[in-house]
Structures are given as structure tokens and as C-alpha cells.
Amino acid sequence: MTLLSVTNLKKYHYSGFLNRKEIRAVDGVDFEIEKGKAMGLVGNSGCGKTTVARTVLRLLEPTEGSIVFEGKDITKLKGRSLKPLGRQMQIIFQNPESSLNPVMRIYDALLEPLRIHKLCNSHEEDQKVRDLIGTVNLNEELLFRYPHELSGGQLQRVVIARVLSLNPKLIIADEVTSMLDPLVQSQILNLLKDLQKRLGISYLFISHDMDVVEWMCDDIAVMDKGKIVKWK
Amino acid sequence: MSLLEIKGLRVFFRSGDRTIKANNSIDLEVMDNEIIGIIGETGCGKSILGRAIMTLLSDNTEINGKIFYKGEDLLSLPESKLRTIRGKSIGIILQNPSAALNPVLSIGDQIAEVFQYHEKMSKQEAKMKTAGILKMVGIDPNRMQEFPHQFSGGMKQRIMIAMGMAFSPELLIADEPTKGLDPETKDSIVNLLRNLVRSKNMSMILITHDLDVTEKMCDRVAVMYAGEIIELASINNILAAPRHPYTKVLLGSLPNKGLRSVPGESPSLSSPPSGCRFHPRCVHAMDECKKDHPPMLLTEIGTEVRCFLYKGDQDQI
């Protein structure tokens, strides 16, 4: 079953005098992601990988094309109707240090999405947060620390736990391991793969490390200058 | 002949009531014309080692041991003498070029500073020299007046290399020169560094956690874990016949080797585990490993390794 299907997606940026300078960040991209599968997106810096991700999530307004998620066209959704979408698809960024609020304890950071999306009532909250931290193989002791007290690998797990709290169907992983060293990278990737098997999550996996993408993904699209130039 | 010889180096930081043992009895020799790689996880003390050699550590550090550079102990030299060595005969390429470059000085001025300080050159001469080394690292000298934010990550790394190489130092310390770069840029930086170092007969200490880069550049590799060197071997031995269980795990964690992971975190440097630092995560851990700290042992293939598994085979170093 197709979870996400993207057709002729374009995102142009305009700048300069009278907005006459056109930058074609994404220039006609088509792909589909099946349920429970992982698709890899590789390419050099600046080829438009991250723009694709952000446009699919509707963090950016697409210039042209359509994005269909679970049979529903989400290209034109606006305002409040976008909020339920946040529960279905989530993104993990490259740098976990800047993804978490530095003045919020890990516990509160994990609680926040649960409250925003009203996923459980107040007496279940505590248990839910403790379950989440367990899912990503972290010790409960860490819940009452601040982000600066944790290592990069631990923070990336917290970010993953936070994303998982919403039970998303699609996770976009944008260079999740490029700042981490090999051992921690293998821990994080094994965790993601395990979650895919256990929970049937689909991934759009963005990276510039071909080896990692080959290990992680079923299909791989190679991007260059805003277009998909090759499938593997 | 050895250019640099580190003997029993200990670097401790005092922070509140904790002592962070960032480097614990490091012994390392760097030969003439040799590229030696230092690999290990984040926080294992490899960057601290690089900074210790440059004597660039802050005041709250306690440094013990000896660092001989051409027979002179850097740790006992006065600051005035160090200033003539630092940047001139030992160069450093610092980690994270976006943070290491001064954002309000044009790159031309920043590099020219080195010549004006060390060689007392006039502004004009320094400018000429700067144009020369920018050309050497593949940057158009006409961009000298531009500021760091106008360059991409790979270009900034090239500027850092230009600065580190300004005087063709005899020893270059490169701290994570390829971190966060995409594969194409990474390859070009690796080739540039390797060609420059080889053509000028320099020695280099390459600090990295990228094993691909190590493979492409280094003659020998020192693997660090929790502030110690746990394996020291030629690059071929490290790749083909790793000895220490940690080195094996590290190599097995690469995506093309199956991405096997090992549970646990690297230990904190303020309260490392007793005995062998790796024993809580080691599959071969024996009783002895929990109690005693293993010495460096020499194996039959010439690898030095800090592990009791190889105790039967040979004498202690």
C-alpha cells in the first residue's frame, strides 16, 4: 500500500531585485513510499534533499506538484487542518543539540508533544514518558537532566523518542548520523531499523553516506540540482 | 628518526570536585615523513592530545609527562620560545572552521597575520605570500578580501589548511578536517592534504573518527578509548588484523561491514571503570580485566595492544 506519493514536486525560491532571480531548489521530483518501507535520498550538499523533506512535511509551501499522504491530497491544506498531519509524519534533524530546547529537562521535552496533541490524560503522562525513554534504550535517570548534560548519541535518541511519542506513520530522517561517530551511528541506525520492523514505520532517509543508505533503505533515489537523476 | 616523542603524558582538568582525566599516560612517537592517525569516539581525548602537543590548553589543566619535539621538551619551554614554534614549525588545523575563523576579518588579513607575526614581513609582502598559499589550496587569490561567511564549508576548510601550512611546518596536526563535509568535498580535502604533506616531506597527526579518511591517508594508527591509546599499529594491520576487542567493534560498526552495534556508552572521563576501561562493554571480559589495568603488549605482528587477551603470547613492553 502506498503511504506517500509525490508527483512533479517543485519548489522555487525567488530573490534579488523585484524577485527576478529564481532558484530552482526542487525541480520536478516524483516518488512513492510504501507502507513499512524505507526510501533513501542521496546527493551532494545543496542538491535539494532537505527542501524535498521540508516541502513534503508542508513546512515549506510547494510551488507546484502534489503530495498525497494516505490517499489524501495534503498539498493545499492550510492552518489548523495541518495539525493532525504533524502526528502522522515527523522529522529528525541532523543536529540533536539544536533540536532540543536547552532550558527544558528531557522529561518536559518528551511531555510536550503528548500535551500538544492531547494523546493521554494527566495521570498516564508519567508512565508514558518512562515507556518512551525505554523504547530508545535509555536509562530513566536521564529524564531529569538538561540537554547539555547528555552526549550527542543520547540526545539523538531523545529526539527519536520524542518523535515516536506521536506514533507517526512516516519519519523523515535528515542526516541523522552525520555528526555522530561510527559506534554511535550503528546504535542509532539499528534502533531505527528495529522500530521499522516492530512498528511498521516508513522512512524517508536522507544522507550523503551511500553505505548507510544502502544498509537502511529498500529504494534509493540520487538527486542532483533539484532533480532525481538515478534510482537504485 | 622520530620528530615528536610523547612520554607518559597525562592531561587532567579540575572541574568543581571532579578530576577529568582526558589523557592518561599516552606514549606516542611520530617519525619523519609519517602520517599518523588518531581515531576514537567523541570525548575519548583525541583533540585534547592535539592541543596538548601545541601547548594550547587552558590554565585549569594539569599536564604531566614529556613531549619531546626535536629533542626539546615542549612542556618545559618558556612561552616566548613556544610562540616561535607554534604555527611555524608545528602547524595546526583546528576543528570546525566556521568557529575557528574570525568572522570580522577578511580571510586575506587573517592569513597575512601569520607572516607579519613570524617573519616580520611588511603588509605588501605578506599579501603576496598569502596569495601564493591560497593558490596552493585551490582558492582564487582574488577572493582574499572576502569574509569567512562568503565561503562554503569545504572552502573554509581549505582556508584553515592554508593557515596551518603557511610556513610548511615540519609537523602538522589536523583535527577532524573532514567532519560534516559531503563525500565529494571530503575526497578533495583528503587529496589536497595528502598531496601537500607528502610533497613537502612533512609529518602529520590526523585526528578523526572517520575510518575511511584514516585508510586513505595514514601510515600508522593509534586507537584511543577513554583517554588511553589501546592499540597502535600500521594501517594495514589495523584494517586486516585488528587486535583489541574495541578496535574490532569499531571496524564492525561500519555500514559496509554490517553495522553491528555494541551496547553501552563510552565511559565518563571523571570516573572511568576499574581495570580495563573497556571491560563493561567487552564480550571477552575476564575477571582480571575488572581488577587490573592492562599494560601495552606487543603482538607477533608488531601491533601494540592494551588487552590481557594477548598476555600469553609475548613480553610486556
Side-chain angles (χ1 to χ4, degrees):
Chain A
M1 204 186 114
T2 312
L3 182 72
L4 176 79
S5 118
V6 171
T7 331
N8 195 27
L9 185 72
K10 290 182 182 170
K11 175 70 197 172
Y12 296 171
H13 295 290
Y14 296 94
S15 62
F17 182 62
L18 292 178
N19 282 344
R20 282 210 182 125
K21 200 175 159 200
E22 189 179 73
I23 296 157
R24 302 186 166 188
V26 177
D27 197 10
V29 164
D30 304 85
F31 62 87
E32 277 184 0
I33 300 178
E34 298 282 311
K35 217 166 177 173
K37 296 274 184 202
M39 186 189 122
L41 201 53
V42 294
N44 283 330
S45 327
C47 74
K49 307 183 293 276
T50 302
T51 313
V52 169
R54 300 181 77 109
T55 319
V56 167
L57 283 168
R58 292 292 321 277
L59 295 173
L60 289 175
E61 205 64 33
T63 310
E64 218 186 293
S66 77
I67 307 159
V68 178
F69 185 76
E70 288 209 297
K72 194 174 156 205
D73 191 340
I74 59 166
T75 328
K76 294 283 180 298
L77 290 186
K78 280 203 170 64
R80 207 170 287 170
S81 55
L82 275 170
K83 193 176 161 190
L85 213 58
R87 219 178 316 166
Q88 318 261 349
M89 25 188 197
Q90 275 294 326
I91 184 162
I92 307 170
F93 293 104
Q94 175 174 21
N95 190 346
E97 276 116 33
S98 55
S99 312
L100 290 166
N101 188 338
V103 297
M104 241 182 186
R105 290 174 310 173
I106 303 304
Y107 187 89
D108 301 313
L110 288 173
L111 197 56
E112 199 184 27
L114 296 177
R115 289 206 171 149
I116 288 175
H117 288 279
K118 300 193 180 68
L119 290 180
C120 57
N121 38 30
S122 50
H123 60 272
E124 292 168 355
E125 276 173 356
D126 188 66
Q127 191 51 45
K128 181 92 182 157
V129 167
R130 283 170 203 277
D131 288 348
L132 279 171
I133 202 89
T135 329
V136 292
N137 311 328
L138 283 180
N139 199 318
E140 283 188 17
E141 275 169 37
L142 300 179
L143 281 173
F144 299 98
R145 303 234 192 121
Y146 287 92
H148 72 267
E149 296 172 281
L150 269 60
S151 71
Q154 288 173 328
L155 286 176
Q156 197 62 289
R157 282 162 203 248
V158 171
V159 174
I160 294 173
R162 207 162 174 248
V163 161
L164 288 177
S165 66
L166 302 172
N167 283 324
K169 298 194 171 107
L170 174 71
I171 294 180
I172 298 183
D174 191 358
E175 302 271 17
V176 278
T177 58
S178 73
M179 303 296 273
L180 306 174
D181 47 71
L183 265 183
V184 183
Q185 164 173 295
S186 75
Q187 288 176 343
I188 296 286
L189 293 176
N190 276 302
L191 173 67
L192 288 176
K193 193 133 196 184
D194 178 48
L195 293 169
Q196 181 186 15
K197 272 189 221 139
R198 249 176 32 212
L199 308 172
I201 299 171
S202 308
Y203 290 105
L204 175 59
F205 197 87
I206 299 173
S207 176
H208 50 229
D209 189 332
M210 202 61 201
D211 291 332
V212 167
V213 178
E214 271 172 9
W215 184 83
M216 190 74 203
C217 301
D218 307 290
D219 305 304
I220 302 169
V222 184
M223 272 188 83
D224 189 33
K225 293 183 185 137
K227 290 192 165 96
I228 291 180
V229 290
K230 204 159 70 178
W231 281 94
K232 279 186 188 166
Chain B
M1 206 194 98
S2 71
L3 180 67
L4 184 84
E5 193 178 355
I6 301 171
K7 275 191 175 162
L9 180 74
R10 286 166 198 273
V11 180
F12 292 177
F13 296 97
R14 299 242 178 269
S15 150
D17 50 357
R18 293 186 307 164
T19 304
I20 296 155
K21 296 168 186 157
N23 279 177
N24 214 342
S25 72
I26 301 274
D27 293 297
L28 187 68
E29 245 182 303
V30 184
M31 304 293 168
D32 282 333
N33 307 332
E34 182 185 47
I35 302 184
I36 185 159
I38 298 182
I39 59 175
E41 284 174 87
T42 315
C44 72
K46 50 193 196 308
S47 294
I48 296 297
L49 178 60
R51 281 168 183 261
I53 298 168
M54 284 296 275
T55 54
L56 280 176
L57 291 166
S58 57
D59 291 339
N60 66 339
T61 36
E62 227 177 80
I63 308 178
N64 286 304
K66 305 250 182 271
I67 303 176
F68 291 105
Y69 176 70
K70 292 186 179 171
E72 273 183 305
D73 183 8
L74 292 178
L75 296 177
S76 62
L77 288 180
E79 182 64 24
S80 56
K81 189 83 199 297
L82 284 172
R83 278 173 172 255
T84 62
I85 295 174
R86 218 185 266 150
K88 195 167 183 189
S89 63
I90 306 181
I92 191 164
I93 299 172
L94 290 169
Q95 203 177 142
N96 191 359
S98 331
L101 291 168
N102 186 339
V104 297
L105 276 184
S106 72
I107 59 140
D109 288 348
Q110 289 190 53
I111 302 174
E113 210 174 53
V114 191
F115 294 107
Q116 285 168 319
Y117 179 82
H118 281 293
E119 300 267 277
K120 307 274 175 285
M121 283 185 187
S122 71
K123 258 195 164 162
Q124 272 310 314
E125 279 176 296
K127 230 176 196 169
M128 297 271 290
K129 273 284 214 177
T130 305
I133 57 164
L134 280 178
K135 215 180 266 168
M136 176 180 85
V137 297
I139 291 178
D140 182 1
N142 293 327
R143 298 190 65 183
M144 226 154 90
Q145 294 314 316
E146 292 183 18
F147 291 86
H149 72 268
Q150 291 167 295
F151 292 88
S152 70
M155 296 277 239
K156 276 187 232 171
Q157 196 61 64
R158 282 169 190 265
I159 296 165
M160 290 306 293
I161 294 175
M163 275 175 151
M165 299 279 241
F167 285 102
S168 312
E170 279 151 275
L171 176 67
L172 182 69
I173 300 167
D175 193 355
E176 301 269 17
T178 56
K179 196 177 187 176
L181 299 176
D182 66 71
E184 230 168 79
T185 322
K186 192 157 93 179
D187 280 349
S188 75
I189 295 287
V190 166
N191 287 335
L192 172 71
L193 260 180
R194 190 176 46 197
N195 294 343
L196 287 174
V197 169
R198 295 286 189 217
S199 67
K200 294 186 191 287
N201 293 327
M202 296 160 51
S203 300
M204 178 158 96
I205 298 177
L206 175 75
I207 300 168
T208 183
H209 61 229
D210 191 320
L211 295 157
D212 287 338
V213 174
T214 322
E215 186 179 349
K216 283 184 191 129
M217 295 183 78
C218 299
D219 304 311
R220 278 197 306 152
V221 178
V223 185
M224 279 185 78
Y225 185 77
E228 293 180 329
I229 293 181
I230 50 131
E231 184 159 352
L232 183 63
S234 69
I235 181 73
N236 294 333
N237 277 351
I238 284 275
L239 294 171
R243 284 293 180 251
H244 198 283
Y246 174 70
T247 316
K248 290 180 187 168
V249 162
L250 195 64
L251 292 168
S253 73
L254 292 179
N256 50 11
K257 301 261 168 61
L259 253 163
R260 281 187 306 276
S261 74
V262 61
E265 302 265 329
S266 44
S268 93
L269 293 171
S270 55
S271 54
S274 63
C276 173
R277 303 267 165 101
F278 188 59
H279 86 258
R281 300 168 82 184
C282 182
V283 285
H284 304 288
M286 307 172 279
D287 283 345
E288 191 176 14
C289 306
K290 288 169 194 155
K291 279 182 289 180
D292 299 323
H293 189 244
M296 267 306 212
L297 302 167
L298 184 68
T299 68
E300 75 286 357
I301 54 168
T303 298
E304 287 176 42
V305 59
R306 198 181 282 283
C307 180
F308 285 126
L309 287 176
Y310 303 94
K311 194 173 56 172
D313 312 356
Q314 62 286 302
D315 303 324
Q316 191 173 317
I317 294 173

